Amino acid sequence: MDAGPIVSQETLEIDENEQATTLLPTLFDIGTKSLIDALPKVIKGDITMDTATVQDESLVAEASMIDSSEGQLWPTKMSARECHNRVRGFSMWPGTFLYFQVGDDGSNDPVKVKVVETRVLEETAEPTNVIEIGPKKGDGLRLVCADGSILEMLKVQPATRNVMDAKSFVNGLQGNSVRWLSGLDE
């Protein structure tokens, strides 16, 4: 938790698809510039503990340590927007993942798949655990959450494999269906 008076503050609009991995360097640049601009004022005495802006304690949000298990996406409990924001926020660590079942007969072991890049579609659909690729070129794997919202997975990484786009993942299925599994690691 951050505490103490505010010496400098910047506002930054971020895109709804911006991920932590791309945002962090930008924030470092802004923070470095703000620090370099403020230091001479602090040394000169223009900025002191008395002249700095007091933080509004009612707006403080406590954040506990992140555990790697928090990276699991729960389409039965989360909307597509919640899943998408978790993918964005955890893109550096711990990453996000789902368990997939490949094939309809259940003979294959569940596969842990890292979800690397997503977007939320405006459309809705009837909830299902079946994952299908979208109909157009460049579409991703479509996961329908319990509220009917749709998360489109653009890049995934099956265990022991490299990151791949959705089309490459589907090509590797050799015609098999894929479903997301709930109840694992709960």
Side-chain angles (χ1 to χ4, degrees), residues 84-113:
H84 176 64
N85 288 340
R86 188 166 289 194
V87 170
R88 294 170 55 223
F90 289 173
S91 65
M92 293 177 70
W93 189 88
T96 52
F97 63 93
L98 286 164
Y99 288 97
F100 287 2
Q101 180 69 55
V102 177
D104 288 326
D105 62 5
S107 64
N108 296 323
D109 289 334
V111 177
K112 186 176 183 178
V113 177

Side-chain angles (χ1 to χ4, degrees), residues 108-172:
N108 296 323
D109 289 334
V111 177
K112 186 176 183 178
V113 177
K114 185 175 180 180
V115 181
V116 178
E117 186 180 339
T118 60
R119 68 179 164 211
V120 177
L121 300 181
E122 294 299 318
E123 62 199 80
T124 58
E126 194 64 34
T128 179
N129 68 344
V130 176
I131 296 174
E132 297 179 316
I133 190 128
K136 294 184 275 188
K137 184 177 180 175
D139 280 353
L141 297 165
R142 295 183 174 195
L143 180 148
V144 183
C145 295
D147 66 354
S149 61
I150 302 173
L151 180 72
E152 188 171 42
M153 296 176 284
L154 303 171
K155 292 183 181 176
V156 295
Q157 182 179 15
T160 73
R161 300 288 173 98
N162 292 324
V163 173
M164 61 185 72
D165 63 24
K167 182 70 173 170
S168 298
F169 179 79
V170 169
N171 288 342

Side-chain angles (χ1 to χ4, degrees), residues 60-82:
V60 170
E62 191 163 333
S64 49
M65 293 293 287
I66 296 170
D67 182 79
S68 61
S69 65
E70 291 179 66
Q72 185 161 3
L73 300 179
W74 296 101
T76 55
K77 301 175 186 175
M78 302 165 76
S79 68
R81 175 69 52 200
E82 290 171 305

Side-chain angles (χ1 to χ4, degrees), residues 29-51:
D29 290 343
I30 292 169
T32 300
K33 183 183 179 314
S34 293
L35 181 62
I36 290 170
D37 290 347
L39 271 177
K41 296 173 190 167
V42 171
I43 292 168
K44 206 166 117 182
D46 294 342
I47 298 176
T48 65
M49 294 297 274
D50 295 327
T51 61

